[in-house]
């Protein structure tokens, strides 16, 4: 009898076909726990299907920067503030159901997995700051650390934050398709750029085994750093 496992899955961005391929490749069954690193929606083709799959799995997910901006659009709609969603979010904003929005809007910015000695966050954590004092804005957008230890969302603005994370917990994150797969002793970056024609990657815990499936195509030719 196989042990139940925890699977942490990288940035899906609406790539529902690849997500289905990945779940099949991992052999995920209903004893397993599935956790997404965020940015389930936006940019890609089938954001509604991705949220549906996540909800059907009873999965956990943390908030990505694109999830945040789509949820903001929905909250504004609810308050009677009508605006066109930005183009990268149009499909997501017009296809999610109220139940999907309720689910997505309740995702935390950081999710500790104590049994696995791991922490899941979308973009990163600033070393030396307690988890409950980390800024959601940084947790969902940072990529680098400057010389003074402050976070930056820009790749070229310092070192990869993950290279400076001291542990002891393993932090699993996404949000950095340019750097791609990042493997440090106590930090693992899983954004392998599926929506840009790369791959969708999962990590099994506690083994840290990685499984990837290729993108079916480049769904989002225009890159944006935000
Ligand atoms: Mn992101």
């Amino acid at each position: 009898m196989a042990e139940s496992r925890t699977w942490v899955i990288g940035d899906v961005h609406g790539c529902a076909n690849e997500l289905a391929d990945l779940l099949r490749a991992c052999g995920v069954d209903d004893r397993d726990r599935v956790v997404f690193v965020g940015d389930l929606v936006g940019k890609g083709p089938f954001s509604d299907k991705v949220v549906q799959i996540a909800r059907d799995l009873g999965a956990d997910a943390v908030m990505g920067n694109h999830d945040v901006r789509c949820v903001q659009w929905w909250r504004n709609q609810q308050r009677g503030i009508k605006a066109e969603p930005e183009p990268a979010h149009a499909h997501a904003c017009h296809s999610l159901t109220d139940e999907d929005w309720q689910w997505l809007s309740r995702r935390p910015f950081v999710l500790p997995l104590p049994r696995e000695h791991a922490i899941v966050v979308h973009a990163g954590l600033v070393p030396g700051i307690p988890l409950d004092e980390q800024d959601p804005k940084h947790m969902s957008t940072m990529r680098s650390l400057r010389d003074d230890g402050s976070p930056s969302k820009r790749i070229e603005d310092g070192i990869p934050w993950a290279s400076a994370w001291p542990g002891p917990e393993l932090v699993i994150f996404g949000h950095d398709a340019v750097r791609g797969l990042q493997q440090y002793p106590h930090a693992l970056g899983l954004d392998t750029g599926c929506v840009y024609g790369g791959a969708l990657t999962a990590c099994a815990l506690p083994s840290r085994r990685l499984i990837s499936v290729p993108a079916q195509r480049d769904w989002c030719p225009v890159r944006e750093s935000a």
Side-chain angles (χ1 to χ4, degrees):
M1 174 96 90
E3 289 275 306
S4 70
R5 295 162 296 191
T6 296
W7 295 98
V8 184
I9 297 179
D11 309 48
V12 184
H13 276 304
C15 295
N17 297 343
E18 289 85 347
L19 176 56
D21 289 346
L22 183 64
L23 294 170
R24 212 173 299 118
C26 293
V28 170
D29 69 33
D30 52 19
R31 292 165 305 174
D32 293 351
R33 181 178 189 185
V34 175
V35 182
F36 292 92
V37 303
D39 277 359
L40 291 173
V41 304
K43 295 188 181 181
F46 308 116
S47 293
D48 54 337
K49 288 186 188 151
V50 171
V51 173
Q52 196 58 59
I53 291 170
R55 292 178 55 208
D56 287 347
L57 286 168
D60 289 300
V62 293
M63 275 284 181
N65 54 313
H66 288 274
D67 305 321
V68 168
R69 279 150 59 192
C70 288
V71 165
Q72 264 164 3
W73 176 88
W74 172 68
R75 289 209 171 111
N76 283 339
Q77 294 283 114
Q78 300 282 96
R79 294 198 302 247
I81 305 167
K82 306 290 179 190
E84 280 303 308
E86 52 190 290
H89 299 160
H91 174 267
C93 289
H94 293 310
S95 66
L96 267 60
T97 66
D98 275 347
E99 290 73 22
D100 293 334
W101 287 118
Q102 305 277 0
W103 181 86
L104 191 63
S105 65
R106 286 198 303 262
R107 296 311 96 200
F109 281 89
V110 61
L111 181 66
L113 304 175
R115 200 165 59 101
E116 292 84 358
H117 307 290
I119 299 171
V120 181
V121 68
H122 179 60
L125 295 173
V126 181
I129 296 184
L131 209 50
D132 57 2
E133 293 172 24
Q134 297 272 343
D135 182 338
K137 179 87 187 163
H138 297 149
M139 288 194 281
S140 58
T141 62
M142 67 183 284
R143 294 190 178 92
S144 300
L145 283 180
R146 303 188 187 98
D147 287 345
D148 65 2
S150 64
S152 170
K153 64 182 189 179
R154 294 172 54 221
I155 291 267
E156 60 279 12
D157 201 7
I159 58 168
W161 74 269
S163 69
W165 179 255
E169 298 96 337
L170 175 70
V171 178
I172 307 179
F173 65 102
H175 187 60
D176 198 340
V178 174
R179 290 192 179 113
L181 188 67
Q182 296 187 58
Q183 293 182 274
Y184 296 99
H186 299 291
L188 175 62
L190 292 181
D191 188 354
T192 46
C194 187
V195 79
Y196 300 116
L200 187 62
T201 299
C203 173
L205 295 176
S207 69
R208 299 196 190 184
R209 187 162 63 101
L210 297 173
I211 296 184
S212 289
V213 296
Q216 294 183 351
R217 48 167 283 200
D218 184 345
W219 299 101
C220 184
V222 180
R223 284 180 187 252
E224 45 161 8
S225 61

